[in-house]
Amino acid sequence: MTIAPGQVPVAPHGARHPLDPDPVRSSKARAVFALGLMGALTGLFVGGVVPATLALVLARQARREAYASGGFLTGAAWLRRGERLAWAGLVLVAAAVVAALVIGLVRSAGAPFGHDYAPNVD
């Protein structure tokens, strides 16, 4: 059989090989989303650092595993959402720390310096 110029041969799509695993959602993707959500919700309280950091570490591992699986691990959308929430939580933590530092500096600047003695003391 000859192929006309410009045509691309089409390979017939056969059935999947029986030893191929079924595509499954990554459990780490769910964990990344849950931890990212916790990090975003508790971001204004400095405790959001821990779940957000864990979410980013797990996201890195989940990406490696998904790449190595050759497409049989799904859940990339949950992974992206979890990473975004984790970064948002870290930004909220940074904003809370900066706000606390500014408030502390303003309050310490308004406080009297040294001892406040009575007017009749030299």
Side-chain angles (χ1 to χ4, degrees), residues 92-105:
L92 287 173
V93 167
V97 167
V98 168
L101 285 174
V102 168
I103 290 171
L105 286 173

Side-chain angles (χ1 to χ4, degrees), residues 66-77:
Y67 181 76
S69 73
F72 291 107
L73 276 179
T74 62

Side-chain angles (χ1 to χ4, degrees), residues 42-86:
T42 60
L44 286 177
F45 314 109
V46 181
V49 168
V50 175
T53 305
L54 286 175
L56 292 175
V57 169
L58 273 179
R60 189 173 192 188
Q61 292 175 1
R63 284 204 191 284
R64 279 194 206 132
E65 289 177 3
Y67 181 76
S69 73
F72 291 107
L73 276 179
T74 62
W78 287 97
L79 199 60
R80 277 192 307 273
R81 289 181 197 133
E83 281 182 312
R84 287 180 187 153
L85 287 170

Side-chain angles (χ1 to χ4, degrees), residues 32-48:
V32 167
F33 180 76
L35 287 169
L37 184 63
M38 289 298 296
L41 291 177
T42 60
L44 286 177
F45 314 109
V46 181

